[in-house]
Amino acid sequence: MTEEQRDRLLLQLEIDQLNAAYAATLDERRFDEWPGFFTEDGRYRVQARENFDRGLPLALIDLESQGMMKDRVYGVTQTIYHGPYYTRHVVSPAQVLGEQGGLVRARTHYAVFRTRPGDASEVYNVGRYLDEIVRTPAGLRLASRQCIYDSEMVLNSLIYPI
Amino acid sequence: MTEEQRDRLLLQLEIDQLNAAYAATLDERRFDEWPGFFTEDGRYRVQARENFDRGLPLALIDLESQGMMKDRVYGVTQTIYHGPYYTRHVVSPAQVLGEQGGLVRARTHYAVFRTRPGDASEVYNVGRYLDEIVRTPAGLRLASRQCIYDSEMVLNSLIYPI
Amino acid sequence: MTEEQRDRLLLQLEIDQLNAAYAATLDERRFDEWPGFFTEDGRYRVQARENFDRGLPLALIDLESQGMMKDRVYGVTQTIYHGPYYTRHVVSPAQVLGEQGGLVRARTHYAVFRTRPGDASEVYNVGRYLDEIVRTPAGLRLASRQCIYDSEMVLNSLIYPI
């Protein structure tokens, strides 16, 4: 195996570490740290698979910068009234789809489980991340993360980021 | 760490990429591409854990070549009448069990979630892949994939490949 | 990428292999092998997230040596009367949190599914492993594994290790 092939494979590991840190940040409710996984003009979208597949624009959440993400976090943690629940992300190893001009495209399947107080855990939202990732001096950052979810019926409402 | 040890570990990454591509192909319903993950005389079996553990031959699906897989895909997409549903595979990192004579044995735990139109996502089928993998000029291919599932009650019927 | 950076990333793969072997051992009911994943004075704790987050000591299971784990296995397999069920662990790629003095700290998100005879599979327990791992001549071993679970209502009772 050449050094280049090795480094191509190792890129998967770097993305796996990014995904694991991202999941832990959300599940441990350190929401203030969540926008930091993105570039300053990063994009975050949560969209139903049906709309994505048909090229329809409607998305459940569509944030176009870190600033909008910080607003969202403020809304979620300070102003929205909702029943409390825990989330747990379990993700597959990432698939590196390609790299061009410093932008890595990757896809990762995820399952998010929800646990409400005094209740059993349940499947909450499953789907795939479609990512564009850039390397910065501080490490890998998401230039764009699309969460394309299968789940047509979103349980109650989706409050926390996926 | 020696080069050989590194390459042994990196083999896990190659299999993880294979598993991720396999899962995406099924979940994105590109069923025509599914037989291409196997060698021409590749084996695909879906068997209940109970039968597997006791060495019983009965399997839910048992296909012995790419040709049989293509027939199955034709049946699933063209002739079988069934309620539509989405699938989502979430898999653990693969465990490389050994390599002998160019054949790599690996095991991967999987969960498949099902989403029916207008419904919440649910656990559909969980189990383990037991694989024999060969390296070809076109990349890794499955000489054999056994899907050994825990789920004794298969929800409705299992239509799409696992 | 330097050799050191490569080896840091490869450490994730070694832990992924450890986690995969651990999961297979439990799910294939080879319980006698389970204590062997730990050091002789290894620690195994299963604790509700709520107690962990508040720094409360109460844990569902707290074993302080391989000896105690062997006792537990004996109890589970020989003396406790309970309805039979299968488990299936699906885990994310591990996140390596740091390494100091030969002790690697890592975190892994897990989901355990349960299947009872004649029934559909269901979400059983989800959470995170918080591990301290040491390198021994025989490979990586757990000096400590804490299973911090979200699931407030443990379905029936938790019999087998997580």
Side-chain angles (χ1 to χ4, degrees), chain B residues 95 107 109, chain C residues 19-30 88:
Chain B
Q95 187 186 5
R107 174 174 52 206
H109 288 201
Chain C
N19 283 336
Y22 179 101
T25 297
L26 290 179
D27 294 347
E28 294 168 15
R29 306 172 72 85
R30 294 181 268 111
R88 181 62 47 191

Side-chain angles (χ1 to χ4, degrees), chain C residues 22-156:
Chain C
Y22 179 101
T25 297
L26 290 179
D27 294 347
E28 294 168 15
R29 306 172 72 85
R30 294 181 268 111
F31 297 115
D32 286 344
E33 299 175 24
W34 171 65
F37 284 93
F38 293 81
T39 58
E40 212 176 301
D41 59 349
R43 185 86 180 260
Y44 176 73
R45 278 166 64 87
V46 182
Q47 189 176 30
R49 169 182 182 148
E50 208 170 24
N51 288 349
F52 177 82
D53 287 348
R54 296 178 187 177
L56 298 175
L58 187 70
L60 198 62
I61 298 174
D62 193 350
L63 308 176
E64 295 179 343
S65 69
Q66 273 194 346
M68 284 180 72
M69 294 178 208
K70 286 174 189 169
D71 274 0
R72 173 81 191 173
V73 166
Y74 181 81
V76 164
T77 57
Q78 305 296 329
T79 69
I80 301 178
Y81 179 80
H82 62 87
Y85 63 88
Y86 290 140
T87 61
R88 181 62 47 191
H89 290 66
V90 176
V91 303
S92 292
Q95 188 187 3
V96 181
L97 299 173
E99 187 166 5
Q100 203 175 12
L103 207 64
V104 177
R105 288 183 309 110
R107 174 174 52 205
T108 306
H109 288 201
Y110 69 81
V112 182
F113 302 91
R114 176 177 73 168
T115 307
R116 285 180 294 192
D119 218 338
S121 301
E122 58 192 338
V123 182
Y124 181 54
N125 193 283
V126 303
R128 62 190 190 270
Y129 292 133
L130 294 181
D131 296 329
E132 293 179 350
I133 300 168
V134 292
R135 193 179 296 282
T136 76
L140 298 184
R141 290 290 179 276
L142 296 161
S144 169
R145 164 155 286 187
Q146 295 187 78
C147 313
I148 310 299
Y149 60 92
D150 297 344
S151 318
E152 304 210 345
M153 194 186 76
V154 176
L155 296 174
N156 294 349

Side-chain angles (χ1 to χ4, degrees), chain B residues 1 3 5-6 9-13 16 49-50 53 90-97 107 109-111 113 123-128 130 148-155, chain C residues 3 6-7 10-14 16-17 20-30 86-94 113 115-123 135:
Chain B
M1 210 181 285
E3 291 297 284
Q5 287 172 312
R6 280 203 190 90
L9 284 170
L10 289 173
L11 182 56
Q12 183 202 311
L13 289 184
D16 285 343
R49 169 182 183 148
E50 207 170 25
D53 287 348
V90 175
V91 303
S92 293
Q95 187 186 5
V96 180
L97 299 174
R107 174 174 52 206
H109 288 201
Y110 70 80
F113 302 91
V123 182
Y124 181 54
N125 192 283
V126 304
R128 62 189 190 270
L130 294 181
I148 310 299
Y149 60 93
D150 296 345
S151 318
E152 302 210 346
M153 195 186 75
V154 176
L155 296 174
Chain C
E3 291 297 283
R6 279 202 192 90
D7 285 352
L10 289 172
L11 182 56
Q12 183 202 311
L13 289 184
E14 292 188 82
D16 286 344
Q17 296 283 316
Y22 179 101
T25 297
L26 290 179
D27 294 347
E28 294 168 15
R29 306 172 72 85
R30 294 181 268 111
Y86 290 140
T87 61
R88 181 62 47 191
H89 290 66
V90 176
V91 303
S92 292
F113 302 91
T115 307
R116 285 180 294 192
D119 218 338
S121 301
E122 58 192 338
V123 182
R135 193 179 296 282

Side-chain angles (χ1 to χ4, degrees), chain B residues 11 14-15 18 36-42 98-106 131-145:
Chain B
L11 182 56
E14 293 188 80
I15 297 173
L18 176 72
F37 284 94
F38 292 82
T39 58
E40 211 175 301
D41 59 349
E99 187 166 4
Q100 203 175 13
L103 207 64
V104 178
R105 288 183 309 110
D131 297 329
E132 293 179 349
I133 300 168
V134 291
R135 192 178 297 283
T136 77
L140 297 184
R141 289 290 179 275
L142 295 161
S144 169
R145 164 155 285 187

Side-chain angles (χ1 to χ4, degrees), chain A residues 22-73:
Chain A
Y22 179 100
T25 296
L26 291 179
D27 294 348
E28 293 168 17
R29 307 172 71 87
R30 295 181 268 111
F31 296 116
D32 287 344
E33 299 175 24
W34 171 65
F37 284 94
F38 293 82
T39 57
E40 211 176 302
D41 59 347
R43 185 86 180 260
Y44 176 74
R45 277 167 65 88
V46 181
Q47 189 175 31
R49 169 183 182 148
E50 207 170 25
N51 288 347
F52 176 82
D53 287 348
R54 296 178 188 177
L56 297 175
L58 188 70
L60 197 63
I61 299 174
D62 194 349
L63 308 176
E64 296 180 343
S65 68
Q66 273 193 347
M68 286 180 70
M69 294 177 207
K70 286 174 188 168
D71 275 1
R72 174 82 191 173
V73 167

